[in-house]
Amino acid sequence: MLLKSTLPSTLTKARSPHTTSVQVDVQHLFPFKLDDFQLEAIRHLEAGKSVVVCSPTGSGKTVVAEYAVEMALMSNKRCYYTTPLKALSNQKLYDLRQKYGENKVGLLTGDLSINRDAPIVVMTTEVFRNMLYGTILGDVSKNLKDVASVVLDECHYMNDSQRGTVWEESIIYAPKDIQLVALSATVANAQELTEWINETHGPTELVISDFRPVPLRFHYFGERRLYPLINPGGGVNTFLKSRFGKKQRFQHKDKDKKRRPMGGLYTHPADVLANLSARNMLPAIYFLFSRRGCEEAMKMSRGIPLLLQEEQAELRRQVEQFTRDNPNLANHPHIPYLMEGMSVHHAGMLPSWKGMIEKLFQSGLLKVVFATETLAAGINMPARSTVISCIQKRGDEGHRELRASEFLQMSGRAGRRGMDEVGHVVVLHNPFESVEDAAKLAQAPADPLSSRFTPSYGMVLNLLERHSIDDARDLIERSFGQFLINRQLEPTFAQRMALENELEKSQSPLCPGEIGDLNLYAKRLESIRARHKQLKTTEKALKQHTPKGGGPHPGLADLEATRSEIHATLQEAYAMPCHGCPVQKPCSKQTERIGQINKRIKEIDKRVVRETNFYWRTFEALGNILRTLGYLDGNKPTKLGKMAAAIRGQNELYLTEMAMSNIFNQLHGHELAALLTALVGDEARGGHDSMRVKVSPQVEYALEEAHKLQRKILRLQKDFDVEMPIELGPHQSGLTEMWAQGATWHAIRNATPYDEGDVVRSLRRTLDLCRQYIRAAGMPEAVVDKCRTVEMLLNRDEVSEDF
């Protein structure tokens, strides 16, 4: 059998540009029978090819990644395992260390390196992308020494509007002798993704499966009862259409608004949980689309007996141990709910608290977690059931229906392999939503991946540091976005070829004798007609205006000259072969068609140039701005440009200009910390001014200067037709200044209505920017010293990350 074990001394050469490939004893590595799609992916890996594995959540894609890790170890090579989130990296680090031991597994983050030369290194995809650039992580060739394969877990994150470009850049820049193992949830255009990687990186095979080891059963909960959502033959349950089919029209000034539960809950969560508990459908993840809704649902669900007596005792023991290790959380307001087997999980919670919730849920001690959709795309927390509270959510442009992939991601959390025979997905009745729409979502295919590739200042500087301008263009034009554009243009290219073929056939002359120029003949006839018209007008004018004294009119000479020109042009036309030609009419039609074809070809060429050069035009415009400000000398980064290349952010140019503007030097450590928070803040989520903790006057002045520099760069970008956002979000700067001045977490919590998780995230982002400034080559020593002070002030207690 192909999958038989071979010894390292008998390694087989790969049949692709990738490095030596080996075969591993599958039965020894996996003590369970593998599915067909897993075996197929393993065969492609053994052949030395990259693979894209696309299958539903929980179907076992990780098996393929584990086999790639084993192959690397067997051949004395290394494997990088990338994930989209630090939480996922931490979980994968734990899993791999459990299997291979601490010495063989390392972790690499933007600011922490643990055993980075280990055979297996876990990292976020951003870290891998930065490693390919070189930047502060070291030389590219040293970074990738002996790396045989890279796992790109959760590759469907390419669809993420803010971070998706990172996956594209990683695939574009990855050396072609490295095998890529891209693991993705179900997407509509997996074939296109695979063809792009095959074209960009090297031989790649698609392994796709729609098989779920734990099938899903869809339910609809209304009037305190559970109903099947879908008929056995497909389509919405006809009884539900008659019972709940009428959709009410939502009015913002609804008179019954006061009768609705808090958080917009139209179905009481206690009713839902009681039904699930009675049917043995717990544990469950209960998805809501607001943090407030999660909190309210949990409060409304108290009093339902969810835990066995022995489970309560173990839960109490683990929670008490956690609060001993984290004394600042001993009085957390959610502990009473936790003791009843329920909790909340959303981005506004403290990371340490969320980590405990995840462990308790995975161990079966929590029976329901009320969560926002971030959990669906987050760490591994499968359940027996998922509850979807509504099929609409608030987006950037108001309320919209869930996309198919969003619904799939949430429903995919239901059903635990090896524990459940079936997973349950429960959609709750909402009077303003159609039960038919819910059934359509449950049966809808996944959405396609789109491109989020975005040239940035950092990309320009890093590519030009290591490549010629021509090579940089080649890399830019390898993006998935450009690939999709070229695909969309294929009918246009085909149309152009058809027009060229028609043009070639139309060039054959129809003339029976000497070949004439019908266009020139037509122009001369048109000229004659125009001059005749002019002649009649002149003659009419002369008759109406007889000169005084009876002498000859001065315009007669011009009249005679016009007649002579008409006669001469007429003689030229008569002498042409086209005059009197018997095929003049079909020849005229042919000439007209040739003109139309040439015009259409020019239009097509113009469109092709515009669309195929989209990313490159942006790249060039960014380069021109960088040259204007001294970051590029020709096509090579200057000392200033090399410094900016090490910075990662929304607008690397602005962040570097801030560091070089002397604004930092006028601030003390706690004041600089507050300013850095504004540089990484999200302007759109600022909230009301009354929510803000005031900053010191020195920080207010620094913010004014930062706004001036912001306006200056935005004006410059406008001159070059570049839209690169620069956001200043100072709404949490006051909290950062408090923390940097030594405030306790209790004081921070009492000083603001912001969720604790948001505050921690803001402080950690501030800390990350601070460390980037410290490590950027060529950064002025005064700035580095001040940033080291900021790092020391911020990196403590809740803000410090434990790995």
Side-chain angles (χ1 to χ4, degrees):
M1 183 180 173
L2 220 178
L3 303 175
K4 287 271 185 174
S5 169
T6 57
L7 296 174
S9 59
T10 59
L11 303 182
T12 57
K13 286 286 183 180
R15 299 189 297 274
S16 82
H18 296 126
T19 53
T20 304
S21 177
V22 298
Q23 296 171 338
V24 182
D25 188 343
V26 174
Q27 293 179 347
H28 174 73
L29 183 60
F30 304 109
F32 50 85
K33 188 175 184 291
L34 297 189
D35 296 328
D36 289 344
F37 84 92
Q38 295 166 330
L39 294 171
E40 182 187 350
I42 286 172
R43 282 192 286 269
H44 292 315
L45 288 177
E46 289 177 338
K49 296 180 179 180
S50 295
V51 290
V52 174
V53 183
C54 186
S55 65
T57 302
S59 59
K61 294 184 289 290
T62 308
V63 164
V64 182
E66 291 173 357
Y67 192 85
V69 170
E70 199 72 25
M71 282 177 60
L73 295 179
M74 288 286 289
S75 58
N76 294 317
K77 297 289 185 179
R78 305 171 69 212
C79 178
Y80 284 168
Y81 201 113
T82 74
T83 75
L85 304 169
K86 281 187 178 181
L88 279 171
S89 291
N90 292 340
Q91 188 177 58
K92 186 53 62 177
L93 175 73
Y94 175 80
D95 294 342
L96 291 170
R97 281 184 168 179
Q98 287 291 104
K99 185 171 185 177
Y100 296 105
E102 289 193 13
N103 292 337
K104 285 192 174 182
V105 187
L107 178 72
L108 196 58
T109 71
D111 48 59
L112 188 64
S113 175
I114 300 174
N115 197 16
R116 68 177 292 167
D117 296 322
I120 309 165
V121 184
V122 181
M123 64 192 74
T124 60
T125 317
E126 276 89 349
V127 169
F128 178 62
R129 187 275 310 270
N130 296 347
M131 187 179 286
L132 294 172
Y133 277 146
T135 61
I136 59 176
L137 293 171
D139 180 67
V140 175
S141 59
K142 183 180 178 182
N143 285 336
L144 300 176
K145 184 179 179 182
D146 293 330
V147 175
S149 56
V150 174
V151 177
L152 297 170
D153 204 355
E154 309 284 349
C155 197
H156 51 270
Y157 261 75
M158 280 178 64
N159 254 354
D160 187 276
S161 59
Q162 295 182 328
R163 301 171 59 217
T165 184
V166 174
W167 276 259
E168 287 190 57
E169 292 173 52
S170 298
I171 292 167
I172 293 167
Y173 308 144
K176 294 191 175 184
D177 62 347
I178 289 178
Q179 278 182 293
L180 298 180
V181 183
L183 309 181
S184 171
T186 307
V187 293
N189 57 341
Q191 185 65 47
E192 281 186 324
L193 174 65
T194 306
E195 289 174 7
W196 170 66
I197 297 177
N198 186 76
E199 184 179 296
T200 301
H201 181 75
T204 306
E205 296 290 341
L206 171 64
V207 178
I208 191 166
S209 172
D210 58 2
F211 171 72
R212 284 190 59 92
V214 182
L216 295 181
R217 189 173 296 160
F218 292 91
H219 309 271
Y220 192 79
F221 188 88
E223 296 179 343
R224 308 179 76 175
R225 290 186 60 188
L226 209 57
Y227 302 92
L229 176 61
I230 299 169
N231 279 326
V236 65
N237 183 343
T238 51
F239 169 76
L240 295 180
K241 283 179 67 175
S242 61
R243 192 76 187 87
F244 303 104
K246 193 172 181 181
K247 176 179 171 182
Q248 294 183 25
R249 185 176 178 183
F250 181 77
Q251 295 180 358
H252 288 284
K253 295 181 179 179
D254 189 352
K255 293 179 181 179
D256 294 330
K257 187 174 182 181
K258 292 182 180 179
R259 295 209 302 258
R260 291 180 351 195
M262 293 293 290
L265 303 174
Y266 293 95
T267 302
H268 202 293
D271 292 338
V272 179
L273 295 182
N275 268 268
L276 297 185
S277 180
R279 293 168 180 259
N280 195 27
M281 290 168 63
L282 296 177
I285 300 175
Y286 198 124
F287 286 109
L288 300 106
F289 296 99
S290 73
R291 298 176 185 180
R292 183 186 178 195
C294 291
E295 305 272 347
E296 292 297 330
M298 181 180 69
K299 291 175 183 177
M300 295 165 66
S301 301
R302 287 196 72 177
I304 300 174
L306 300 175
L307 298 171
L308 299 174
Q309 192 171 1
E310 55 269 26
E311 289 176 328
Q312 286 179 327
E314 178 60 20
L315 178 62
R316 182 173 298 278
R317 188 193 68 78
Q318 291 198 27
V319 172
E320 287 174 353
Q321 180 61 49
F322 174 77
T323 53
R324 278 196 297 271
D325 296 338
N326 300 270
N328 61 315
L329 297 176
N331 296 317
H332 197 288
H334 289 180
I335 286 180
Y337 305 95
L338 200 63
M339 292 303 183
E340 293 191 22
M342 64 183 72
S343 188
V344 165
H345 190 292
H346 57 66
M349 307 192 72
L350 284 175
S352 55
W353 181 265
K354 281 199 299 182
M356 181 190 65
I357 298 304
E358 291 156 7
K359 289 177 182 176
L360 291 175
F361 190 83
Q362 289 163 1
S363 63
L365 294 175
L366 291 184
K367 301 304 179 183
V368 60
V369 169
F370 299 94
T372 56
E373 63 180 319
T374 54
L375 180 61
I379 72 164
N380 183 27
M381 277 181 64
R384 180 166 295 165
S385 302
T386 58
V387 179
I388 300 175
S389 60
C390 57
I391 59 170
Q392 289 192 344
K393 60 178 281 190
R394 182 179 294 278
D396 295 334
E397 299 177 357
H399 279 86
R400 65 167 177 83
E401 189 171 284
L402 291 177
R403 297 188 179 95
S405 291
E406 293 170 332
F407 188 91
L408 272 172
Q409 195 79 16
M410 288 184 283
S411 60
R413 290 290 169 189
R416 299 163 298 177
R417 188 169 190 168
M419 298 176 68
D420 301 321
E421 292 183 2
V422 65
H424 301 279
V425 181
V426 181
V427 180
L428 303 187
H429 172 63
N430 186 313
F432 302 108
E433 296 173 353
S434 164
V435 65
E436 290 182 271
D437 290 339
K440 286 177 184 176
L441 270 176
Q443 301 173 94
D447 299 314
L449 284 179
S450 57
S451 173
R452 306 295 183 177
F453 187 74
T454 309
S456 64
Y457 291 111
M459 183 187 294
V460 173
L461 292 166
N462 279 291
L463 287 184
L464 293 181
E465 171 67 14
R466 291 162 184 81
H467 302 279
S468 68
I469 190 73
D470 292 334
D471 288 342
R473 179 167 188 168
D474 178 62
L475 288 168
I476 292 297
E477 292 180 347
R478 287 191 207 170
S479 72
F480 187 50
Q482 192 62 65
F483 176 85
L484 293 176
I485 288 173
N486 292 343
R487 279 289 172 92
Q488 291 168 0
L489 287 174
E490 282 179 359
T492 306
F493 292 139
Q495 185 185 15
R496 192 187 190 286
M497 287 184 63
L499 289 170
E500 285 182 335
N501 291 335
E502 185 182 350
L503 184 62
E504 187 177 349
K505 293 176 183 177
S506 300
Q507 300 293 352
S508 303
L510 301 175
C511 305
E514 183 183 353
I515 298 174
D517 186 342
L518 189 59
N519 278 329
L520 181 59
Y521 178 71
K523 285 180 181 178
R524 284 180 174 166
L525 293 182
E526 182 62 33
S527 173
I528 291 168
R529 282 192 288 269
R531 288 181 179 277
H532 260 298
K533 188 175 180 180
Q534 179 186 354
L535 185 67
K536 289 180 179 179
T537 303
T538 305
E539 287 176 342
K540 186 176 180 181
L542 291 178
K543 289 178 181 178
Q544 291 176 352
H545 301 283
T546 305
K548 295 179 180 179
H553 197 288
L556 287 175
D558 294 336
L559 200 64
E560 287 304 317
T562 301
R563 289 195 181 101
S564 298
E565 288 174 6
I566 291 172
H567 180 73
T569 305
L570 197 59
Q571 292 303 313
E572 290 175 1
Y574 288 162
M576 294 180 71
C578 295
H579 183 68
C581 178
V583 294
Q584 188 183 106
K585 189 170 183 179
C587 189
S588 175
K589 289 182 178 179
Q590 182 191 57
T591 302
E592 183 180 358
R593 179 58 184 158
I594 289 173
Q596 292 172 348
I597 292 173
N598 283 322
K599 182 181 178 182
R600 180 61 185 142
I601 287 175
K602 285 181 181 178
E603 290 172 351
I604 288 174
D605 289 345
K606 190 175 180 181
R607 180 191 169 192
V608 168
V609 168
R610 182 177 67 250
E611 296 194 20
T612 56
N613 289 337
F614 173 75
Y615 295 109
W616 181 245
R617 285 201 310 274
T618 303
F619 187 96
E620 284 187 311
L622 293 172
N624 289 332
I625 293 173
L626 291 168
R627 291 183 189 92
T628 301
L629 295 178
Y631 287 75
L632 284 177
D633 182 6
N635 291 322
K636 282 296 174 185
T638 61
K639 184 179 178 181
L640 187 61
K642 291 177 181 179
M643 180 201 309
I647 304 297
R648 288 282 169 273
Q650 187 186 53
N651 191 307
E652 299 92 346
L653 175 63
Y654 176 66
L655 293 176
T656 308
E657 287 288 290
M658 280 294 299
M660 303 301 292
S661 67
N662 202 40
I663 297 174
F664 289 6
N665 296 334
Q666 301 171 19
L667 302 174
H668 295 296
H670 60 90
E671 295 163 347
L672 178 56
L675 177 61
L676 294 182
T677 292
L679 297 185
V680 297
D682 185 353
E683 213 167 20
R685 297 185 64 180
H688 196 271
D689 280 346
S690 62
M691 298 172 66
R692 288 174 54 182
V693 174
K694 300 299 182 184
V695 295
S696 60
Q698 292 85 349
V699 178
E700 288 284 6
Y701 174 76
L703 287 170
E704 290 177 11
E705 295 300 305
H707 277 294
K708 289 178 185 177
L709 184 58
Q710 177 194 39
R711 290 191 292 270
K712 174 186 172 184
I713 294 179
L714 288 175
R715 283 196 299 270
L716 182 62
Q717 289 182 167
K718 188 176 180 180
D719 292 341
F720 285 89
D721 197 25
V722 166
E723 290 186 15
M724 192 67 64
I726 304 174
E727 289 191 354
L728 270 175
H731 46 282
Q732 293 194 31
S733 292
L735 293 172
T736 300
E737 191 168 13
M738 278 181 64
W739 184 249
Q741 288 175 313
T744 64
W745 191 255
H746 180 73
I748 294 291
R749 183 191 297 147
N750 291 335
T752 178
Y754 287 113
D755 288 334
E756 293 176 278
D758 292 334
V759 178
V760 169
R761 188 161 47 254
S762 172
L763 288 166
R764 287 181 176 177
R765 291 181 68 190
T766 303
L767 193 56
D768 177 65
L769 178 60
C770 176
R771 287 167 172 164
Q772 289 187 54
Y773 282 137
I774 291 171
R775 294 168 184 164
M779 186 65 66
E781 197 60 36
V783 174
V784 172
D785 289 342
K786 284 188 175 291
C787 286
R788 284 202 179 103
T789 301
V790 173
E791 181 184 27
M792 182 185 67
L793 294 173
L794 296 184
N795 192 30
R796 60 185 176 89
D797 302 332
E798 289 295 338
V799 180
S800 180
E801 295 186 73
D802 296 322
F803 293 94

